[in-house]
């Protein structure tokens, strides 16, 4: 019933950052004991029961007007359930180790699951309607036909749905299935402590040290991460084994042909499009990551790179910390230069308590934008520590937020964008910020630092995420043959590392456990290819923007406003782009290769 926040990893750091904003969640509810929340819970329980009483077993007999009323009632239920779970979830992410918040989150999940179980019939029964019946409904009522994309995605699952009784069982037991293991993972990660040079840090602060100038500090951080991950690897292996097996069981019962099928269906993307993307990126490893890291080794004065050198700053890079007011100005200026409308949409995030930026004990790691519900507004979570990558993370998450605000006009059922398209505005926001900073670079050395930083971000978004995708594919395939030991999972992780990063790398002992902290593998299996999809799509879009100038802007805003109401082919057609064409991905990858060409030319 609820939307998934768009999660993004953040590996940045710093201090002396100014006044960092915190969320004001009162736009959702004043507090967990508020009368407003109790009112909505009571309403939801009754509304779900009434909906089932009025429609279960009767969908085949509804005319178009009655079906529209049913859809609108269902949408209202979705809004209220989403509002409650957004509030519970955002409070939890702020302090995952706070037992009272964890209890509240679990209690809300239990109640929402119980209340909404009577609604399971809705998609199952609608999918039993014939194609002719459905076509007649669309033809009879234009307001109902607006919801056609929602039902098309629902009907794509027809071959894989189970009996009503089994579907209700799966819905009921979900709170003690994947979501329970997700919470165990979140709470374990948030509770980890690391000691580097006598200082005790959480995971964000420790990962941040991998971007420090001092190589000994980077090595110490990596070895401490490896030690702590190693100490906890059995727990992480248990989480992955259980979730992969649970998925295998459900996929087998549903008759899904591959572990990836469910993700492709939810993303409304064809398997062959994802395969074309994956193959294009893997084929490009030598001219992207392999070539770039060979350059970086030379800049760092190293014959061989170690894993703690991957995100190292360049020797000429300053250690200036970017405080929050400056970061805000950098991103907002870039947005405004593209289109004042974009800056206007982003401004409330800073001024109205829609961003939680600071690193705090127990706070979930990484960054995300949560759309909540269309009647409220999105919230952005960061772990801001003041380095250039943090500024790009801010630009990225604000892009998500702007997209979510624009798409809200579609209403609750049509606003949610498949993950493959959800990364469009975020990556575009990063690109705008990067291009503005590059145009204002005061020296060739600063330009080089910016170019290298952007190339590294793109490699992390494209190459690294496709390597993650390959790791997940191997993990789920291997789990079908039996239980995986931590060493088994370690070996699968290492099997994709050298191939993706290149021959210049050595991998220190302990790095084999670094799969353990990646949240996407746990929360959203096969999510990761969406990053590469989004980056390739934005690179192609940006090329169109450079060619067409301001005529691009209105088409771009229309694409964001469409939310989940159009297929990717329909969204890209106005720009003359086609993601099903393998050459489309080569076009996006060529932009990364071109930036590396420019860096190589600076060596002459």
């Amino acid at each position: 019933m609820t939307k998934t926040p768009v999660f993004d990893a953040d590996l940045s750091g710093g201090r002396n950052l100014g006044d960092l904003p915190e969320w004001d969640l009162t736009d959702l509810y004043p507090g967990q004991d508020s009368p407003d929340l109790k009112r909505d819970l009571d309403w939801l329980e009754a509304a779900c029961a009434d909906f089932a009483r009025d429609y279960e077993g009767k969908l085949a007999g509804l005319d178009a007007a009655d079906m529209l009323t049913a859809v609108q009632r269902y949408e209202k239920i979705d809004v209220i359930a989403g509002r409650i779970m957004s509030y519970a979830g955002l409070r939890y992410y702020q302090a995952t180790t706070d037992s009272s918040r964890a209890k509240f989150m679990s209690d809300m999940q239990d109640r929402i699951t119980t209340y909404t179980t009577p609604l399971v019939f809705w998609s199952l029964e609608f999918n039993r309607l014939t194609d002719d019946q459905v076509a007649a409904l669309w033809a009879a009522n234009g307001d109902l036909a607006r919801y056609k994309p929602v039902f098309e995605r629902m009907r794509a699952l027809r071959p894989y749905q189970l009996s009503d009784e089994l579907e209700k069982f799966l819905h009921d037991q979900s709170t003690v299935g994947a979501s329970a293991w997700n919470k165990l993972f979140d709470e374990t990660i948030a509770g980890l402590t690391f000691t580097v040079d006598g200082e005790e840090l959480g995971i964000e602060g420790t990962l941040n040290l991998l971007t420090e100038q001092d190589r000994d500090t980077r090595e110490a951080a990596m070895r401490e991460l490896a030690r702590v991950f190693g100490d906890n690897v059995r727990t992480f292996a248990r989480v992955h084994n259980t979730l992969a097996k649970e998925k295998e069981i459900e996929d087998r019962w549903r008759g899904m042909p591959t572990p990836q099928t469910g993700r492709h269906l939810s993303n409304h993307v064809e398997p062959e499009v994802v395969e074309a993307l994956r193959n294009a990126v893997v084929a490009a490893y030598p001219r992207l990551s392999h070539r770039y890291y060979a350059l970086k080794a030379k800049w760092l004065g190293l014959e061989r790179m170690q894993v703690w050198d991957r995100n190292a700053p360049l020797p000429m890079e300053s250690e200036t910390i970017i405080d929050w007011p400056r970061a805000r100005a950098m991103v907002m200026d870039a947005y405004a230069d593209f289109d004042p409308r974009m800056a206007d949409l982003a401004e409330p995030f800073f001024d109205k308590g829609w961003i939680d930026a600071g690193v705090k004990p127990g706070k979930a790691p990484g960054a995300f934008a949560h759309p909540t519900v269309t009647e409220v507004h999105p919230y952005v979570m960061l772990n801001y520590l003041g380095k250039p990558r943090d500024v790009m993370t801010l630009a990225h998450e604000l892009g998500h937020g702007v997209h979510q605000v624009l798409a809200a006009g579609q209403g609750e059922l049509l606003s949610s964008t498949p993950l493959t398209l959800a990364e469009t505005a975020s990556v575009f926001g990063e690109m705008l910020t990067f291009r503005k900073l590059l145009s204002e670079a005061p020296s060739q050395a600063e330009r080089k630092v910016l170019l290298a930083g952007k190339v590294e971000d793109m490699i992390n978004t494209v190459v690294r995420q496709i390597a993650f995708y390959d790791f997940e594919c191997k993990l789920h395939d291997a789990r079908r043959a039996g239980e995986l030991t931590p060493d088994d999972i370690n070996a699968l992780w290492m099997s994709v590392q050298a191939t993706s990063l290149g021959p210049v790398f050595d991998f220190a002992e302990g790095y084999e456990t670094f799969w353990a902290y990646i949240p996407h593998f746990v929360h959203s299996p096969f999510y990761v290819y969406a990053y590469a999809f989004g980056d390739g799509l934005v690179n192609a879009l940006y090329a169109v923007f450079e060619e067409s100038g301001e005529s691009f802007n209105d088409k771009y805003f229309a694409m964001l406003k469409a939310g989940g109401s159009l297929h990717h082919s329909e969204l890209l057609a106005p720009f003359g782009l086609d993601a099903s064409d393998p050459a489309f991905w080569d076009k996006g990858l060529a932009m990364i290769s071109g930036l590396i060409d420019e860096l190589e030319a600076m060596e002459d």
Side-chain angles (χ1 to χ4, degrees):
M1 296 297 296
T2 57
K3 298 176 186 173
T4 301
V6 181
F7 280 91
D8 297 292
D10 177 9
L11 304 179
S12 22
R15 53 184 67 86
N16 299 324
L17 304 174
D19 196 12
L20 295 174
E22 292 189 358
W23 280 331
D24 177 0
L25 299 179
T26 56
D27 287 344
L28 291 166
Y29 292 103
Q32 71 177 61
D33 298 319
S34 73
D36 292 350
L37 178 58
K38 183 181 185 308
R39 176 203 66 210
D40 282 356
L41 284 165
D42 291 344
W43 179 91
L44 184 66
E45 182 178 22
C48 291
D50 290 347
F51 187 91
R53 182 198 64 224
D54 292 345
Y55 295 113
E56 187 167 11
K58 303 172 186 175
L59 294 191
L62 297 183
D63 62 20
D66 288 337
M67 185 64 77
L68 176 61
T69 299
V71 171
Q72 291 169 337
R73 285 176 61 179
Y74 186 92
E75 188 167 37
K76 179 62 176 177
I77 288 169
D78 214 26
V79 168
I80 298 302
R83 188 180 195 123
I84 294 166
M85 286 313 305
S86 295
Y87 177 69
L90 292 172
R91 288 184 74 252
Y92 172 71
Y93 293 131
Q94 279 184 304
T96 63
T97 53
D98 181 329
S99 58
S100 67
R101 294 187 185 213
K103 172 180 165 49
F104 179 70
M105 169 81 159
S106 294
D107 288 348
M108 291 301 100
Q109 281 181 321
D110 288 347
R111 292 180 71 173
I112 299 297
T113 300
T114 300
Y115 295 166
T116 56
T117 295
L119 305 184
V120 170
F121 82 91
W122 171 247
S123 61
L124 303 175
E125 194 170 321
F126 192 92
N127 282 349
R128 286 196 285 268
L129 300 180
T130 67
D131 290 342
D132 287 343
Q133 285 175 298
V134 172
L137 289 169
W138 305 148
N141 190 305
D143 289 336
L144 178 62
R146 194 176 77 82
Y147 291 95
K148 184 178 177 182
V150 178
F151 289 99
E152 285 180 338
R153 288 194 282 273
M154 198 161 76
R155 286 173 75 81
L157 294 168
R158 287 169 77 189
Y160 311 113
Q161 69 185 37
L162 302 172
S163 69
D164 292 15
E165 187 176 35
L166 274 174
E167 292 287 0
K168 287 181 179 178
F169 168 75
L170 288 173
H171 181 84
D172 251 358
Q173 66 87 46
S174 62
T175 57
V176 292
S179 66
W181 290 96
N182 287 345
K183 280 186 283 190
L184 173 63
F185 172 84
D186 289 342
E187 290 162 17
T188 302
I189 284 288
L192 296 180
T193 56
F194 307 81
T195 304
V196 182
D197 295 333
E199 184 178 3
E200 188 173 285
L201 301 165
I203 191 167
E204 284 291 342
T206 313
L207 289 168
N208 168 64
L209 295 179
L210 297 176
T211 66
E212 289 292 311
Q213 276 283 6
D214 183 69
R215 194 172 190 231
D216 289 342
T217 299
R218 298 198 305 270
E219 179 179 354
M222 181 271 163
R223 295 195 183 281
E224 177 65 358
L225 287 162
R227 182 190 69 79
V228 176
F229 293 159
D231 287 347
N232 291 274
V233 73
R234 292 185 181 280
T235 299
F236 293 122
R238 172 58 48 221
V239 170
H240 282 69
N241 267 291
T242 304
L243 288 172
K245 183 61 179 177
E246 182 187 58
K247 187 177 193 310
E248 185 273 324
I249 292 168
E250 184 171 336
D251 286 351
R252 174 161 38 87
W253 275 74
R254 292 189 181 281
M256 289 192 172
T258 72
Q260 301 85 5
T261 298
R263 176 61 60 200
H264 299 336
L265 288 168
S266 68
N267 282 342
H268 206 205
V269 65
E270 300 75 16
E272 55 270 21
V273 171
V274 178
E275 189 67 10
L277 163 64
R278 182 263 173 201
N279 291 343
V281 173
V282 172
Y285 284 172
R287 67 179 188 271
L288 299 181
S289 49
H290 297 190
R291 184 161 62 116
Y292 173 74
Y293 288 125
L295 264 180
K296 185 168 185 177
K298 187 164 75 169
W299 297 332
L300 295 175
L302 300 171
E303 288 287 328
R304 306 284 302 161
M305 292 261 280
Q306 258 296 349
V307 287
W308 52 79
D309 300 315
R310 184 173 62 84
N311 285 317
L314 303 190
M316 73 288 290
E317 190 170 336
S318 72
E319 295 191 59
T320 303
I321 297 303
I322 302 166
D323 65 21
W324 182 253
R326 186 173 166 223
R328 171 179 176 166
M330 291 163 74
V331 174
M332 290 292 284
D333 287 350
Y335 276 26
D337 283 355
F338 168 67
D339 196 302
R341 290 174 291 178
M342 197 160 173
D344 289 344
L345 289 163
E347 190 167 8
F349 284 83
F350 294 97
D351 297 334
K352 294 188 176 181
W354 300 1
I355 300 177
D356 197 286
V359 176
K360 290 168 276 193
K363 184 177 177 180
F368 63 73
H370 194 309
T372 71
V373 291
T374 53
E375 292 183 356
V376 188
H377 55 76
Y379 284 91
V380 163
M381 192 194 84
L382 306 171
N383 278 276
Y384 189 83
L385 289 165
K387 286 193 175 177
R389 279 194 176 98
D390 284 323
V391 179
M392 291 301 167
T393 300
L394 172 60
H396 182 106
E397 301 306 338
L398 273 182
H400 281 308
V402 166
H403 193 174
Q404 291 160 357
V405 168
L406 287 169
Q410 294 290 340
E412 197 66 18
L413 296 180
L414 284 164
S415 64
S416 188
T417 308
L419 292 174
T420 42
L421 297 170
E423 294 299 329
T424 304
S426 54
V427 179
F428 195 81
E430 281 190 79
M431 181 66 80
L432 292 173
T433 305
F434 162 70
R435 291 292 181 182
K436 179 169 178 60
L437 295 177
L438 192 67
S439 70
E440 297 175 354
S443 67
Q444 186 78 338
E446 184 65 21
R447 182 178 178 86
K448 182 176 182 178
V449 167
L450 286 167
L451 279 170
K454 184 58 178 172
V455 168
E456 288 196 18
D457 286 344
M458 287 173 143
I459 287 173
N460 284 335
T461 302
V462 177
V463 170
R464 188 160 165 79
Q465 300 301 329
I466 289 300
F468 283 178
Y469 177 66
D470 281 353
F471 165 72
E472 282 192 277
C473 291
K474 291 183 175 188
L475 175 75
H476 284 264
D477 283 345
R479 183 64 181 90
R480 291 185 172 207
E483 177 88 4
L484 301 175
T485 67
D487 286 343
D488 292 334
I489 303 176
N490 293 348
L492 294 174
W493 172 255
M494 294 307 298
S495 72
V496 303
Q497 295 303 308
T499 305
S500 60
L501 294 179
V504 76
F505 272 95
D506 291 326
F507 298 93
E509 183 179 355
Y511 182 69
E512 65 274 6
T513 62
F514 270 50
W515 53 268
Y517 81 94
I518 309 296
H520 305 77
F521 302 155
V522 173
H523 289 289
S524 304
F526 307 108
Y527 180 125
V528 289
Y529 72 74
Y531 290 116
F533 194 111
D535 196 88
L537 190 156
V538 165
N539 289 343
L541 273 178
Y542 200 85
V544 174
F545 166 58
E546 290 184 313
E547 293 164 6
S548 54
E550 289 189 8
S551 65
F552 171 91
N553 290 28
D554 286 342
K555 289 189 285 188
Y556 178 72
F557 278 99
M559 178 176 69
L560 300 187
K561 287 177 182 177
S565 67
L566 296 173
H567 186 264
H568 64 77
S569 59
E570 298 170 291
L571 289 171
L572 293 177
F575 304 96
L577 300 172
D578 179 6
S580 67
D581 180 359
F584 171 84
W585 302 113
D586 290 330
K587 183 183 299 186
L589 296 171
M591 178 177 283
I592 308 175
S593 185
L595 295 178
I596 300 173
D597 290 343
E598 192 171 343
L599 285 167
E600 284 184 331
M602 290 180 177
E603 298 301 293
D604 297 336

